[in-house]
Amino acid sequence: MDNPSIDWKSVVTTLLLGKYVFESYIDYRQHQVYQRTEPPASIKQEVSREVFLKSQDYSRAKSRFSFVSNAIEIVKELAVIKFDVLPRLWSFASTVSVSLSKYSFIGRFFGASVMSQSIVFFAITTALSTVESLPLSYYNHFVLEEKYGFNKSTVKVWLTDAIKSLVLTVTLGSPFVYGFLRIIDHYGVSFVSYACVFVLVAQLFFMTIIPSLILPLFYKFTALEDGELKTAIEALAKRNNFPLTQLFVIDGSTRSAHSNAFFVGLPWSKKIVLYDTLIEHNTTEQTVAVLAHEIGHWKLNHLPQMLLATQATVATTFILFSAFLENKSLFHSFGFTQVYPAFIAFSIFGYVSAPVGCITQVLMNVLSRKNEYEADEYAKSQGYTEDLAVSLIRLATKNLGSLNTDWLYSAYNHSHPILADRLSALGYVSKEKIGDVKLDVEANEEK
């Protein structure tokens, strides 16, 4: 493929536009679904028409926002290609790198080299990406989410979170980029197996430190107080031999009204983390049912499955990338005629591999949905069929989640089955509408 006659800019532009058109098409299909005015028959007994209409309205608003943000993103990407932004930024990174090399501490590690230039380039592009995302992020939080009563953050907290995320990304990402580039520099096109091991170790490292060191920078962690809920969760963990060591509640309500729960930790020591909004919206039995589902993921080894699937995706990506690593015609098309840095090659390859990313995204969703059904079935086997079903209904309605989907859109975008499918798989039989959600929706509107 290293052929000077290939116009790689045109190839990349075509691939990006093709991906954009395809994704816009399936987004349009889903947007048409959001025009419906009657709930799906399978959940009509659980969800009132008023709540369904409010959910549809919220989904349409997010859909319109997605159309705009995706259009802005494709224009930005095409502009980067058209106006040779990458070589310009690379040249600027060289200037910065040379300046930094004069400081003894930094020069001791990198010096004015392609390696240090790559790290600086990574930091610059990360910072620019953060700044570029702020206007849309502001609209999403303080206009769209605010309108439907979900945003609980302030501008100060939002900006602080953005700065923290930028600093953490550069601080933690730079050593990863450095290690990855060192492997390529040492092994050349034979880097694949070594890089896969490196990525796996990095994944496990980040999975370990994020809950303990990173999340507390954004949320306040409080030990769950003694009481009925704590006793019930500990009993559930004991019945399932789940190595529970700590139970925390985080103040998710300071940023959003959405709910969640998860567990983290090493194989022999697990922490369960509950959002305060989850506890507020559910009874003790329903919260425990949600955790039974999460423990099902652990019991059925879904995390190792997802790690293996991710590694397969990473390996496929690296194998394809190795064919482009020394492709000088690719570099020349994008304005790099003197140097051929691996980091730039990988950045450009991200454009070329867009179609492969679409395929792997669908395959990962298939695996994820299978695991969700299995975890639901595990909770069902623990005797939580009704409590889990009610909790799922409450979560979907409280979050105004999409209650109906187009099959193609769902296959491409959803890692979880929709509510109606999960209730059907659980064998849930409706008895009455679940709570007076309409009053909560109206309360949000009045704020």
Side-chain angles (χ1 to χ4, degrees), residues 93-113 116-117 120:
S94 175
T95 302
V96 176
S97 179
V98 170
S99 299
L100 290 175
S101 68
K102 297 175 182 178
Y103 296 91
S104 58
F105 177 77
I106 298 176
R108 186 191 318 164
F109 290 97
F110 301 115
S113 63
S116 63
Q117 192 173 344
V120 172

